[in-house]
Amino acid sequence: MVREPHLLLIPYPAQGHVPPLLKLASKIAEHGIKVTFVNTEFIAAKIMATMPEKAEKGSLIRFVSIPDGIEPDDRNDPFKTKDCMFRVMPGHLKELIKKINQSDECEPISCVIADICLGWALELAHEMGIPRAALVPYGPPTLAISFHVKKIIDAGIIDNDGYAMPMTDEWISISEETHPWKRNEFNWSCPEEPMIQKIFLEITCAAAETVRISNWVLSNSIYELDSPNCDLVPKVLPIGPLLASNQSGNSAGSLIPEDSSCLRWLDKQAIGSVIYVALGSTTTLNQQQFEELALGLESSGQPFLWVVRSNLVNESLTRFPNGFKEKLAGRGKIVEWAAQEKVLAHSSVACFLSHCGWNSTTEGLSMGVPFLCWPYFADQYQNRRFICEVWKIGLDLTPDENGIVTRHEIQRKVRRLISDDGIKSNSLKIKEMARKSLVEGGSSFKNFERFISQVKSC
Ligand code: UDP
């Protein structure tokens, strides 16, 4: 008797990681396949509060949650959270899979799909003899570096003391076919925080082993966007971009409630006029930098929609420059969290001032919106280099000698970007590439169909 497929999906518990897995879950369910989606209890409570009700009705996706064991006071400590998740979650996941597999109410788990940052979940599936796929929520350059990091450590190009400082200021390549990198562009690079850098390097190195034990490596990207890096990693199936708007249009997996008033505000703005400013879910600015950004937006002369999270400024109180809000007079809209994909798809948006997180990158390029790049950490520097120099769909914001992106730099680059027809035309070409990849016959479409047909026969 043929068993019906039943997939278990588990995201890394963070804002930038839950939505891509959830969008993947929807795509899988559209093929009539049952999905059990495992969140931590902490994340589940947040998502359920923000998810539109219709997402779950009649759905083949069942949500369950397991504890992460993290004490409330430790949630902002990256060392404690990582250790705790690693100690506590595998036992709970194993119990959950065993319980499902023994139940008469549903089919046993036939495949586990986990975020590549949760290598332990895929190891567990491996141990239990369950086929498994890693979902890579970052781009192919980062995946290729992660897979080949040992090669550059062994070649003595980066330090082998666990902190992995590149030993050279020269460009560093992992292959002749791919773009080379500067020392501060590696995804673990965080020289001012050596312990964080160490954790990032550990996560980077672990990815290679996770790829080895996975049957499939699903990339939230498009083969044609960066084929040289895709070709450097075995088993890679680019199936992206994973977009909410491909499915129900719901913004799946948001941990913060969206303020939809910005969509109505956008309706009132001129076509192609608005600067959309959003720096992702974790970026923080100091008060001086925050004020410079505010004044840069004000002096740009363009309308702007600015996402100011409650924790965007790394000081207790976010202070706008004196008289800033009064002077806006309808030209600027500030929200705590936006429906980003819908914003980017809006015809009033002219450009995206972004921290270049991979989700934001794929969302922006899928909508054909030019970027102003302001990377902050991890893979964002690599994404910035691709945006500005490989795809040529954006400009870089350069900090001054004190590390501040000044109001003048913002004003200058906004003006340059808005009047750059070459960048606009490249953005539209990449948008078309993204669209084509997802429709019948496109590369991501075919890769996903291939994955689904293999999963159905597991
Ligand atoms: N996002 C959103 N509303 C906002 C800002 C961000 O929905 O106001 C979403 C955005 O669409 C993206 C995610 O948050 O899917 C951010 O992920 P990304 O990888 O870009 O950055 P991270 O938050 O991981 O740094």
Side-chain angles (χ1 to χ4, degrees):
M1 195 182 84
V2 184
R3 281 190 332 190
E4 290 292 320
H6 179 185
L7 273 55
L8 182 142
L9 268 62
I10 177 163
Y12 185 87
Q15 174 64 68
H17 295 250
V18 178
L21 253 291
L22 208 40
K23 292 166 189 173
L24 178 62
S26 300
K27 257 170 104 84
I28 292 170
E30 281 172 6
H31 282 73
I33 297 177
K34 187 180 264 175
V35 171
T36 291
F37 196 93
V38 186
N39 279 308
T40 63
E41 288 167 354
F42 179 77
I43 295 285
K46 287 186 176 274
I47 291 184
M48 290 308 163
T50 64
M51 202 148 72
E53 226 179 281
K54 63 178 179 182
E56 235 198 310
K57 274 189 189 151
S59 166
L60 287 168
I61 307 173
R62 184 175 67 119
F63 291 91
V64 297
S65 52
I66 56 175
D68 58 16
I70 303 168
E71 296 295 331
D73 288 348
D74 293 342
R75 287 220 173 264
N76 292 328
D77 181 327
F79 307 103
K80 288 189 179 155
T81 51
K82 180 173 168 273
D83 280 359
C84 203
M85 283 194 297
F86 191 77
R87 257 185 305 107
V88 173
M89 288 176 70
H92 288 289
L93 184 64
K94 191 171 185 174
E95 277 314 301
L96 174 70
I97 295 177
K98 277 191 186 161
K99 207 166 126 198
I100 293 173
N101 288 354
Q102 286 159 5
S103 157
D104 296 331
E105 283 164 25
C106 58
E107 300 285 337
I109 299 298
S110 55
C111 177
V112 169
I113 306 181
D115 189 308
I116 193 165
C117 302
L118 289 187
W120 56 262
L122 295 162
E123 271 165 36
L124 179 68
H126 189 203
E127 265 167 46
M128 297 177 87
I130 305 172
R132 57 225 158 258
L135 177 76
V136 188
Y138 43 74
T142 314
L143 178 62
I145 290 172
S146 305
F147 192 73
H148 292 282
V149 65
K150 200 169 171 309
K151 198 161 79 182
I152 47 178
I153 294 179
D154 291 348
I157 293 171
I158 61 171
D159 205 337
N160 195 14
D161 63 357
Y163 292 98
M165 287 309 295
M167 314 278 271
T168 168
D169 275 335
E170 301 297 307
W171 291 95
I172 300 169
S173 298
I174 53 161
S175 124
E176 282 181 8
E177 285 73 40
T178 54
H179 209 286
W181 305 106
K182 284 287 189 188
R183 54 185 284 160
N184 64 348
E185 290 178 319
F186 284 101
N187 35 305
W188 58 85
S189 176
C190 194
E192 62 290 357
E193 304 248 24
M195 290 308 286
I196 303 258
Q197 178 154 309
K198 198 164 187 279
I199 293 190
F200 282 0
L201 180 68
E202 280 166 20
I203 295 172
T204 302
C205 292
E209 183 51 24
T210 307
V211 167
R212 276 186 207 100
I213 61 157
S214 299
N215 302 94
W216 303 272
V217 177
L218 305 175
S219 160
N220 180 16
S221 187
I222 310 162
Y223 182 72
E224 293 81 2
L225 260 187
D226 181 10
S227 53
N229 276 308
C230 289
D231 290 343
L232 280 182
V233 184
K235 307 173 202 175
V236 169
L237 281 179
I239 56 160
L242 292 167
L243 299 171
S245 40
N246 287 344
Q247 289 90 46
S248 57
N250 295 329
S251 37
S254 215
L255 307 186
I256 309 174
E258 287 165 357
D259 182 341
S260 56
S261 68
C262 59
L263 296 169
R264 293 190 292 279
W265 179 84
L266 280 174
D267 288 341
K268 295 190 199 119
Q269 308 306 314
I271 304 247
S273 66
V274 173
I275 313 169
Y276 172 55
V277 186
L279 303 175
S281 58
T282 61
T283 308
T284 54
L285 305 174
N286 62 33
Q287 180 60 33
Q288 185 194 357
Q289 181 61 87
F290 178 75
E291 288 186 24
E292 282 298 313
L293 173 53
L295 296 171
L297 293 173
E298 187 193 317
S299 63
S300 72
Q302 299 294 131
F304 60 87
L305 168 59
W306 184 9
V307 177
V308 180
R309 297 185 332 264
S310 57
N311 58 352
L312 178 64
V313 176
N314 56 12
E315 286 163 38
S316 53
L317 201 67
T318 304
R319 280 170 283 121
F320 286 91
N322 276 345
F324 175 76
K325 285 195 167 172
E326 295 71 32
K327 269 193 269 166
L328 289 182
R331 192 166 64 79
K333 171 84 178 163
I334 292 165
V335 292
E336 199 169 317
W337 197 248
Q340 180 158 300
E341 285 187 39
K342 288 181 189 155
V343 167
L344 288 168
H346 199 287
S347 58
S348 295
V349 171
C351 65
F352 182 11
L353 196 165
S354 168
H355 72 310
C356 308
W358 185 247
N359 293 302
S360 296
T361 302
T362 52
E363 290 158 8
L365 66 83
S366 301
M367 312 301 170
V369 180
F371 286 83
L372 272 180
C373 300
W374 192 349
Y376 178 69
F377 82 135
D379 60 329
Q380 296 157 14
Y381 290 96
Q382 296 159 10
N383 304 337
R384 183 262 317 257
R385 192 166 285 287
F386 267 71
I387 290 170
C388 296
E389 288 174 29
V390 180
W391 307 320
K392 298 186 175 20
I393 57 172
L395 295 175
D396 193 15
L397 287 171
T398 314
D400 69 4
E401 60 286 359
N402 302 314
I404 293 290
V405 174
T406 64
R407 66 191 82 170
H408 310 293
E409 170 70 357
I410 292 166
Q411 185 198 62
R412 202 169 33 237
K413 291 286 171 65
V414 165
R415 293 211 175 132
R416 237 177 85 189
L417 186 66
I418 285 183
S419 57
D420 191 321
D421 292 339
I423 289 182
K424 184 71 202 159
S425 136
N426 293 339
S427 306
L428 294 175
K429 280 184 201 144
I430 298 271
K431 174 184 180 181
E432 182 58 8
M433 174 200 284
R435 189 196 65 77
K436 276 192 177 153
S437 76
L438 289 172
V439 298
E440 196 160 355
S443 59
S444 292
F445 179 93
K446 285 199 273 197
N447 285 338
F448 191 66
E449 292 291 307
R450 200 166 115 207
F451 171 66
I452 290 292
S453 89
Q454 291 173 0
V455 152
K456 280 186 171 167
S457 59
C458 279

